[in-house]
Amino acid sequence: PVYIAPTFDGLKEAKEEALSRLLASSSTEFQAFILSKLDRVKASNLVSQFPVEKAQAVLSCLSSLKPDKGNPWLNKLEEKIDDFLSREESESTEENQEQLLKITLVLEQTPHDKRQQILAKLREEKPELVPSIESLIIEFLDLMVLSPLSIQKIVSAVHVKTLATAMKGLSPEQEGLILSNLSQRGKDMLEEQRSQLDDASDSEIEGSRLFAVSVARELESKGEISLQEVLKSRKGRVHG
């Protein structure tokens, strides 16, 4: 018979509360496996709920997870997971890079303080991973080096209130980069929102910036923009 790999669609559609209960009493390996099947935002939200030591252990396990090579037992596992919700070490460089990117995208959407704590623990367990992860993480301010067209696409996909909150604390030059990539109507709407915006907390500002980064990643996944400009600019600062 032909082996058909499970899709784990039940996991992808499940609410975070149910996933949290599923992971609560599971082994580290099982938690890493489940996270590998989720999108980056949902995975990040779940990792953020873990104590720092547990988050480090799970992400370390995720980095060495063996990909599915055609194991029929996964079908049974999928059935058990779907039932619960309803009432993969790689030698390939490409596969290693895929797992590395998965960890990066999870940490990228994790609040800064918690991210730094997890990275510190991960540095103790797998120090060779951390420099690569840190070099791949995109921050909100990194988006400022993108081309005007890329910035236009990002800001147009972010709600005006979220954009206004994310801009809190930016320098006049950084604000100018964003404003220069808005239509006059867009500028007017943004300025009106900023004038009405009450003092935002640090967590609200960070949350809005993380959302803008997630939008940029989504646009990149669709081939609409490239974030390689960010990585190239970093290399230029290092070697320049």
Side-chain angles (χ1 to χ4, degrees):
V2 177
Y3 168 71
I4 301 176
T7 59
F8 292 92
D9 288 335
L11 281 175
K12 299 168 187 175
E13 299 299 326
K15 293 182 179 180
E16 288 182 16
E17 294 83 355
L19 289 171
S20 182
R21 292 194 295 272
L22 174 64
L23 296 177
S25 59
S26 303
S27 68
T28 298
E29 292 77 8
F30 183 78
Q31 291 169 334
F33 179 82
I34 296 301
L35 291 175
S36 74
K37 301 301 179 183
L38 303 176
D39 67 72
R40 61 179 179 272
V41 174
K42 187 175 290 186
S44 177
N45 290 341
L46 291 168
V47 169
S48 295
Q49 298 174 24
F50 294 157
V52 173
E53 291 79 4
K54 169 57 74 174
Q56 173 272 317
V58 172
L59 292 179
S60 179
C61 184
L62 179 57
S63 73
S64 58
L65 198 64
K66 294 181 179 180
D68 174 21
K69 296 296 185 181
N71 298 311
W73 67 268
L74 288 178
N75 295 89
K76 295 182 179 180
L77 176 60
E78 181 183 34
E79 291 176 7
K80 291 182 179 180
I81 291 173
D82 285 344
D83 180 63
F84 176 91
L85 293 173
S86 63
R87 177 204 26 130
E88 137 200 348
E89 177 164 327
S90 171
E91 298 300 323
S92 163
T93 299
E94 182 178 347
E95 289 168 344
N96 284 335
Q97 282 298 110
E98 184 178 343
Q99 296 296 2
L100 184 65
L101 183 58
K102 180 73 177 184
I103 295 172
T104 298
L105 295 178
V106 169
L107 286 174
E108 191 173 79
Q109 287 296 308
T110 301
H112 185 268
D113 289 347
K114 185 69 173 283
R115 181 198 303 167
Q116 293 306 116
Q117 292 175 342
I118 294 172
L119 284 172
K121 289 292 182 180
L122 193 58
R123 190 175 283 109
E124 295 174 5
E125 179 72 20
K126 292 196 172 185
E128 72 281 0
L129 288 180
V130 177
S132 296
I133 293 171
E134 292 178 324
S135 70
L136 292 172
I137 288 176
I138 303 294
E139 305 277 9
F140 178 72
L141 296 182
D142 290 326
L143 303 180
M144 302 299 119
V145 308
L146 297 176
S147 68
L149 180 58
S150 293
I151 295 178
Q152 287 172 24
K153 290 184 177 182
I154 294 169
V155 297
S156 65
V158 177
H159 189 279
V160 64
K161 183 176 181 180
T162 302
L163 182 59
T165 304
M167 289 176 66
K168 282 276 190 177
L170 294 186
S171 69
E173 180 183 5
Q174 292 166 335
E175 289 185 354
L177 279 171
I178 294 176
L179 293 171
S180 66
N181 287 288
L182 290 172
S183 64
Q184 187 57 53
R185 181 171 178 275
K187 291 178 184 178
D188 293 342
M189 291 176 62
L190 180 60
E191 290 301 339
E192 180 181 0
Q193 187 64 58
R194 294 178 73 188
S195 68
Q196 298 174 356
L197 192 65
D198 294 329
D199 289 339
S201 66
D202 289 344
S203 62
E204 290 173 325
I205 295 172
E206 183 173 35
S208 296
R209 293 183 175 188
L210 290 177
F211 179 77
V213 171
S214 73
V215 167
R217 286 292 192 183
E218 184 66 23
L219 290 171
E220 182 184 44
S221 72
K222 295 178 179 178
E224 296 187 29
I225 68 171
S226 173
L227 296 177
Q228 290 302 308
E229 296 171 73
V230 172
L231 305 182
K232 289 178 181 178
S233 72
R234 289 176 178 172
K235 291 179 180 179
R237 291 197 296 269
V238 171
H239 299 295

